[in-house]
Amino acid sequence: MTTAADREDEKGEQEGTFAHPALFYRDGREYADRTVAFVREGLALGEPVAVAVPGPRLELIGAGLGPDAEDVLLLDMAEAGRNPGRIIPGVLRAFADAHRHARVRIIGEPVWAGRSSVEYPACAQHEALINAAFEGRAATILCPYDETRLDADVLADARITHPTLIAEGRERASDAYDWQAVVDRYNEVLVPAPDAAVLSFGSAELPEVRHFAVDRAARLGLGGQRLQDAELAVAELTTNSVVHGGGQGTLWIWAEAEQVVCEVRDRGRLTDPLAGRRPPARGQIGGRGLMLVHYVADLVRLHTAPDGTTVRFYLGL
């Protein structure tokens, strides 16, 4: 049943125009000048403002704002957005939804020098999907890109995922904007490691596959909360496979670069590009499994096609 409060919340979310500019900067001074000016402009307009950028950049912005920093939500993106898949629900939507009836202003920097080649496809898809997640919302999300340290391909993707570009103090519309193309391009086939342990399952084997994954993850070095995170993620994904993925699936698990990697494959297909990134509606039952995986994992990669879906998650040792 839709209540009056629900309808009012939806109205607040839907009214307004969304702006998603990419800011190309070349050094720390330009970065600080542009971002601090962006924040101060929002504060002057009475807009709620959040800044989610990697730690050293956060310090630059905080220092530039001085006492005004107290009026801004400051988040270290290297922690809050370590997994790009949780930035939309856990950072951007969380802040915007807390201020449903105001235009919000956010700086989000999910791509920085030091992101690995394994992480980057998820970062690019995240930047693309912001456009779908915030369509029609009264929000401005500015995404900085370091022109001197990021690869040319990364900068080219930024021009595709952002409808507006800011460089050298000038703002212009992007002639390459096509966010769906980036979502599709990084929907890459995922191949498990040749030494991965593997187990197929159906509904009757759900307890067995969970115990199998926990035992294997513990042998590979996971313990404590990380081991509990692995158990939760495997339980959610394997249950999704049984309920939505053809009634069965296959699990692989292995170690890679100081991480335990686990993936679940089934015959289902994800048709919602925001699956796992859209906060559930008030009173919604179910539909939280993939989002929970995004919250507990350090990275989630996904491939979906007509013949099936693979969800892979990474947990650091």
Side-chain angles (χ1 to χ4, degrees):
M1 177 179 178
T2 301
T3 67
D6 291 331
R7 289 192 293 271
E8 190 63 23
D9 285 345
E10 291 171 1
K11 180 180 178 183
E13 290 176 1
Q14 291 171 359
E15 292 184 345
T17 56
F18 175 53
H20 185 207
L23 169 67
F24 297 99
Y25 65 93
R26 300 188 63 82
D27 55 41
R29 180 174 180 178
E30 181 181 14
Y31 181 92
D33 288 347
R34 302 293 182 197
T35 55
V36 168
F38 176 83
V39 170
R40 290 194 187 282
E41 181 181 51
L43 294 175
L45 292 171
E47 297 175 352
V49 181
V51 174
V53 301
R57 298 301 189 191
L58 196 65
E59 294 174 6
L60 273 179
I61 295 174
L65 287 172
D68 288 338
E70 296 180 4
D71 298 321
V72 179
L73 176 64
L74 300 174
L75 299 171
D76 185 346
M77 186 66 98
E79 296 179 5
R82 176 174 175 80
N83 172 20
R86 67 170 172 253
I87 297 174
I88 289 175
V91 177
L92 305 181
R93 278 289 303 270
F95 183 73
D97 291 352
H99 304 279
R100 295 179 187 273
H101 304 297
R103 182 175 190 86
V104 299
R105 181 173 291 229
I106 304 170
I107 300 176
E109 189 170 7
V111 184
W112 59 83
R115 281 285 204 188
S116 70
S117 59
V118 176
E119 293 175 307
Y120 177 69
C123 295
Q125 286 188 318
H126 156 74
E127 283 283 63
L129 289 170
I130 290 176
N131 299 288
F134 278 83
E135 183 179 6
R137 293 291 297 266
T140 303
I141 300 177
L142 178 74
C143 301
Y145 281 81
D146 187 340
E147 283 192 297
T148 63
R149 301 183 66 195
L150 293 174
D151 291 344
D153 290 346
V154 174
L155 300 176
D157 282 343
R159 296 180 177 93
I160 300 173
T161 56
H162 296 78
T164 305
L165 311 176
I166 301 172
E168 299 179 345
R170 295 190 295 273
E171 182 174 324
R172 64 178 177 86
S174 173
D175 58 5
Y177 177 61
D178 183 5
W179 67 265
Q180 185 65 59
V182 167
V183 173
D184 294 341
R185 174 150 45 91
Y186 290 108
N187 180 35
E188 299 172 333
V189 174
L190 301 172
V191 179
D195 61 345
V198 59
L199 182 67
S200 296
F201 61 89
S203 59
E205 292 77 36
L206 286 178
E208 178 186 353
V209 74
R210 186 174 70 251
H211 293 315
F212 172 83
V214 170
D215 178 69
R216 181 63 58 172
R219 293 185 186 186
L220 293 173
L222 280 189
Q225 184 61 52
R226 296 269 76 183
L227 193 58
Q228 294 178 37
D229 291 340
E231 182 176 14
L232 172 62
V234 167
E236 293 294 341
L237 292 178
T238 54
T239 299
N240 279 351
S241 292
V242 168
V243 176
H244 305 293
Q248 59 187 5
T250 306
L251 176 140
W252 280 264
I253 183 167
W254 68 94
E256 176 183 307
E258 300 301 317
Q259 294 178 308
V260 169
V261 186
C262 184
E263 71 176 39
V264 175
R265 299 184 178 204
D266 58 44
R267 294 182 299 189
R269 185 179 188 184
L270 285 176
T271 57
D272 178 5
L274 289 171
R277 304 172 193 249
R278 181 185 290 107
R282 184 182 300 179
Q284 176 181 327
I285 298 174
R288 293 171 170 82
L290 185 53
M291 182 175 295
L292 285 173
V293 177
H294 276 300
Y295 273 104
V296 302
D298 295 322
L299 175 66
V300 176
R301 295 283 306 278
L302 187 148
H303 174 259
T304 190
D307 60 348
T309 292
T310 301
V311 181
R312 175 183 293 182
F313 68 87
Y314 296 71
L315 291 170
L317 293 172

